[in-house]
Amino acid sequence: MPSPIPVTRLLPKDIYPSLDLGTCSSPLTRPSHGGATSLQVPVQRPHGRVASRLWSSVIHWKELRCVRPVGSGGFGSVYRAEYLGQTVALKRVKKCAKNKLASRQSFWAELNAAHLRHGNVVRVIAATTCVPADFGDEGSIGTVLMEYVGSRDLQQVIYGCAELGEDRWLRYAADIARGLSFLHAHGVVHLDIKPANVLVSDADVCKIVDFGCSVKLDRGCDAGAVAPHLSHVGGTYTHRAPELLKGEAVSPEADIFSFGITLWQLATREQPYTGDRQHVVYAVVAHDLRPSVRAHPVFGTARGRLCATLLGRCWSGDARCRPSAQELLPHLEQLRSSRT
């Protein structure tokens, strides 16, 4: 069965024209010799530009040590490990018995940003679809090795930190906006921006992680053009843009809506909605329900009023009215420099 996402969508177009695609009909392969397993991705030509590829399609399992569980989610589990002398995060994407196609798509979507490098995006080191028997379980679709950022995510910081000053959460917001600006410039839409999918490093820098819901938009096409089989996007309903809840086309502006909900959480340190999921989704789409800005003193100051205005633009029901990620940055800088 062919991969739901063509291999050419895992690499930028300035790279993949120089690849030998071979005859593979699926990226799923059996273990190779020498203790390594790999994705059957295009091989390098000696004169090609793939020598500069920034991630590996091979995991050397004999070099992987001290695998310890860190957490788990809907489509996978995350571990801390040592690989080639470096601390890494290992994510195993598990099979979903109820929706096997969705779990396969989740694994391949994890690699949409694998070729990209940015200080506010978690870096992919290597990936494979085949795990040796003594390293994995039969329920795994694939494994992704990533840089280890730390054990804290923004969700834990917002709701578990004793103090979160305005300058600090505005700096976090700017980190996320810079990461999104970079991703969108390379055609990647994350589609699940929320505090739990933003890691906070020991240096107090935010990095976007978990690309299992992401989509790679084709360059040169309409921003809303996505493959039909990816139109049923996932994500978290409290942060999902209303156009996605209605089943409309994917665009980078969907991430801006999610950013707006996240920014509100940073400012208020509260949950955006209460009540039944079905009622919330209906109200967001039909009645423009948004988190409240009137009931919070933080929005009563000069800085808070500017923030409330920016929030209104970010979570506009009309995606065309939302700022781009790049346009967010000067607004956030204005907020940081404004008087409280």
Side-chain angles (χ1 to χ4, degrees), residues 120-140:
N120 299 116
V121 177
V122 170
R123 176 171 59 93
V124 172
I125 298 169
T128 180
T129 55
C130 199
V131 182
D134 54 341
F135 270 95
D137 58 343
E138 296 180 355
S140 175

Side-chain angles (χ1 to χ4, degrees), residues 140-330:
S140 175
I141 283 182
T143 299
V144 183
L145 289 185
M146 300 170 285
E147 68 169 309
Y148 182 76
V149 176
S151 58
R152 294 185 304 162
D153 61 43
L154 198 55
Q155 176 93 356
Q156 295 167 325
V157 172
I158 291 174
Y159 300 110
C161 181
E163 184 178 350
L164 187 60
E166 284 188 331
D167 287 342
R168 188 179 176 196
W169 61 256
L170 283 169
R171 177 164 49 81
Y172 287 165
D175 283 349
I176 300 170
R178 278 189 288 268
L180 285 177
S181 177
F182 177 79
L183 292 170
H184 293 171
H186 290 81
V188 177
V189 186
H190 188 279
L191 293 180
D192 199 16
I193 292 296
K194 60 182 180 180
N197 285 341
V198 178
L199 299 181
V200 183
S201 72
D202 292 339
D204 215 30
V205 174
C206 287
K207 298 196 176 200
I208 298 170
V209 71
D210 197 342
F211 286 79
C213 294
S214 68
V215 168
K216 181 72 166 64
L217 300 179
D218 292 329
R219 295 180 183 178
C221 294
D222 186 303
V226 231
H229 62 269
L230 290 179
S231 59
H232 57 284
V233 295
T236 305
Y237 78 95
T238 54
H239 293 67
R240 200 178 306 169
E243 66 269 19
L244 300 188
L245 293 172
K246 292 187 288 186
E248 296 176 359
V250 171
S251 74
E253 287 72 31
D255 282 346
I256 303 303
F257 183 94
S258 304
F259 171 86
I261 305 295
T262 301
L263 179 60
W264 182 91
Q265 289 177 273
L266 281 164
T268 66
R269 305 182 71 181
E270 294 186 11
Q271 296 294 340
Y273 305 113
T274 58
D276 178 78
R277 168 187 174 131
Q278 184 176 353
H279 292 160
V280 169
V281 168
Y282 175 78
V284 167
V285 173
H287 301 294
D288 292 325
L289 174 68
R290 302 293 186 267
S292 174
V293 297
R294 295 181 180 179
H296 297 280
V298 68
F299 297 115
T301 65
R303 174 184 283 176
R305 287 188 288 272
L306 286 173
C307 185
T309 300
L310 181 59
L311 287 172
R313 293 187 61 198
C314 288
W315 59 38
S316 170
D318 185 348
R320 296 169 298 180
C321 295
R322 298 172 201 155
S324 69
Q326 184 63 36
E327 290 169 343
L328 284 173
L329 293 169

